[in-house]
């Protein structure tokens, strides 16, 4: 029974893909704008998370290892185009 359900879902997915391809072929301008918008969103998210991930991977080289505990609070505030605010505070 589960195999039959998976096959029906795969057939439905193929039908949906064909419908999407026909819709994009009828309106190529809309399709191009849609694809570019998704690509910009994915690229922006990747850049922001790579930047934030890089902040945590920096190595502090010091003659006094205990000096790392005396650093002041670091605050990062990122405001996206959609108004999303990301606040990262480290002590």
């Amino acid at each position: 029974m589960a195999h039959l359900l998976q096959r029906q879902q795969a057939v439905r997915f193929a039908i949906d893909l064909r419908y999407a391809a026909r819709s994009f072929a009828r309106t190529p301008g809309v399709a191009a704008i849609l694809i570019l918008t998704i690509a910009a969103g994915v690229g922006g998210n990747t850049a922001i998370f790579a930047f934030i991930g890089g902040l945590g991977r920096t190595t502090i080289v010091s003659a006094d290892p205990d000096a790392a505990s005396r650093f002041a609070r670091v605050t990062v505030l990122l405001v996206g185009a959609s108004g999303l605010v990301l606040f990262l505070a480290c002590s």
Side-chain angles (χ1 to χ4, degrees):
M1 183 67 179
H3 179 65
L4 181 60
L5 182 61
Q6 288 176 350
R7 179 164 167 70
Q8 288 173 346
Q9 289 174 342
V11 168
R12 183 66 194 161
F13 182 70
I15 291 169
D16 289 343
L17 281 179
R18 283 196 302 258
Y19 179 75
R22 284 195 309 265
S23 297
F24 285 162
R26 279 189 298 235
T27 55
V30 173
I33 290 171
L34 176 70
I35 291 168
L36 289 174
T37 302
I38 292 171
V42 169
N45 280 325
T46 301
I48 288 172
F49 281 104
F51 175 73
I52 292 173
L55 289 177
R57 293 191 191 109
T58 57
T59 304
I60 300 171
V61 179
S62 174
D64 182 13
D66 294 328
S69 64
R70 292 191 299 261
F71 279 109
R73 186 178 186 131
V74 175
T75 303
V76 177
L77 178 65
L78 299 174
V79 180
S82 64
L84 177 67
V85 177
L86 178 63
F87 179 73
L88 174 67
C90 301
S91 296

